[in-house]
Amino acid sequence: MTAATPLSELFEFDDSYARAVPSLSVAWKAAAFPAPRLLVLNEELAAELGVDAEALCGPAGVALLVGQEVPEGVTTVAQAYAGHQFGTYVPRLGDGRALLLGEVVDTADRRRDLHLKGAGRTPFARGGDGKAAVGPMLREYVMGEAMHALGIPTTRALAVLATGEQIARETLLPGALLVRVAASHLRVGTFQYVAATGDSDVLRALADHAIARHHPDALEDPNPYLGLYRRVVDVQADLIARWMLVGFIHGVMNTDNMTISGETIDYGPCAFVDAFDPATKFSSIDHRGRYAYGNQPRIAQWNLARLGETLLPLIDPDTDAAVEAASAQLTRFAERYEAAWQEGLAAKFGLPEPDPELTRAFLELLHVEKADFTQAFRWLSAQLRGTPARDRFLDREAFDAWSVRWEAALGPDRAAVADAMDRVNPVYIPRNHKVEEALDAATAGDLAPLHRLLDVLARPFDERPGLQEYAEPGGGPHVTYCGT
Ligand code: AMP
Ligand code: MG
């Protein structure tokens, strides 16, 4: 294909969501933008979607990516959802500035949403301007790619485009639009929205769509709706454990930012911990630390309780029986999470099997010493290759005592253990200061630091010469802003 590829040949869109639950979205068109221009295009993801990256860079591609010109018969929609924001229920949130462009079946036969964020005000916009700024949209791009490279389920960005507008935030900022790819945009908040209407037919249709799309094996359970719930509990328990194992803090774990698919979604004021501390929070709006690092498992379970409530009428017409069945599944969250966390920790420490007491003792040492969570595990593997880690700690004796126990628990082939540890413990995570540096430069028009950062984060486990600055914590407290 060439830059002159016609619109109709770029993607073949489907609209299974709009057909399954027509009342849960409204047809809406993207705002017109003065001078849309690609800032970054994810070529690897384009290939996965089966679309020619070069063609997306052409005029038809750009017009499509900003929602200006869509193929005939395609209707872009804004999706409705509700949600608990910081614990308070908001009955009508929805895509205030986003549109679903359509669904694409990718080269691996997976159905994926193509979604535009920053596409202008929709009927759900409330007080917002419907727009997005370059910095926060590139932040979502960077964080999604970092998570993907770490092997963590996530939505990903196909592209970020500058719109050519200036938008009003605390200052005037260049406007942007993010093209997001997701397994779907079904959220806990989508179920809450429907449950609040009391329309059991729509609720059933939504649940059937979710089962078909994400958890088809639930159909084999005696009660498929309970099966759906069980599977969402499982994928979320696994996901949160993965976050915790790399020190990821989402920052806004509202129920509208939690997926049914088990993908991480909606990167706002998210960041990775440097010094290990369960109380770490970065978001300027999270005053009480509701979404602090160590609270995330508890909050996920709370969100899943809200999902369970919405499913009760489908699970059993007898409410008491439904509550009992759903509660039993929710209780499993803690077990499933703990198992995933302990197994993940065992891998991080190179242990043949989980040893909760031993691993907790090391995390406590990190906490007391305010040591860097990411680097610490590479110090341990380096020790197995002959570079002692003890000098990294203020309390060397405490480390020594722990280390003797740790080494005694490892398998005999130390080189193999060290290699296995390095395959799960990243050298490079999106360090807050490097992310800010790249976004500031990009906002000012220089994309070079962003591309360099993306390149580093694409291979997080391979230590490479000359990249030490990407491996170091930045120092000093970090605050993330809401990112709208
Ligand atoms: P978020 O905090 O990004 O998860 O968004 C929460 C809600 O606010 C969603 O309903 C968004 O669509 C909406 N929203 C966020 N920013 C804007 C904006 N600039 N204009 C309109 N709606 C917005
Ligand atoms: Mg959101």
Side-chain angles (χ1 to χ4, degrees), residues 81 85 92-98 117 120-122 124-132 167 169 187 250 252 254 256-257 266-269 285 482-484:
Y81 52 86
Q85 298 194 305
R92 190 181 143 107
L93 287 165
D95 289 335
R97 54 168 172 172
K117 192 164 172 176
R121 285 177 58 84
T122 77
F124 300 104
R126 296 172 291 158
D129 63 358
K131 302 294 169 71
I167 64 166
R169 291 296 181 261
R187 307 158 188 263
H250 184 283
V252 211
N254 295 333
D256 52 302
N257 291 337
D266 274 352
Y267 294 93
I285 56 170
C482 195
T484 61

Side-chain angles (χ1 to χ4, degrees), residues 152-207:
I152 299 173
T154 179
T155 67
R156 295 177 72 186
L158 176 62
V160 173
L161 299 102
T163 59
E165 276 180 344
Q166 294 287 310
I167 64 166
R169 291 296 181 261
E170 268 143 43
T171 56
L172 281 183
L173 292 171
L177 195 139
L178 174 86
V179 185
R180 175 160 80 184
V181 176
S184 84
H185 284 80
L186 298 177
R187 307 158 188 263
V188 169
T190 316
F191 282 83
Q192 290 182 289
Y193 181 88
V194 181
T197 66
D199 188 328
S200 57
D201 291 338
V202 178
L203 183 63
R204 189 175 300 271
L206 177 65

Side-chain angles (χ1 to χ4, degrees), residues 268-289:
C270 59
F272 284 66
V273 295
D274 292 324
F276 180 76
D277 183 352
T280 308
K281 62 155 186 122
F282 295 112
S283 170
S284 64
I285 56 170
D286 189 5
H287 305 292
R288 296 184 178 189

Side-chain angles (χ1 to χ4, degrees), residues 1-2 7 29 75 91-92 98 134-135 158 254 285 323 349 367 379 404 418 445 483:
M1 287 201 279
T2 69
L7 208 51
K29 287 205 170 68
T75 305
R92 190 181 143 107
V134 164
L158 176 62
N254 295 333
I285 56 170
V323 168
F349 284 93
H367 187 188
W379 299 338
V404 168

Side-chain angles (χ1 to χ4, degrees), residues 351-365:
L351 295 166
E353 58 194 53
D355 185 337
E357 198 279 317
L358 180 72
T359 52
R360 192 181 53 238
F362 185 74
L363 295 179
E364 273 165 17
L365 183 62

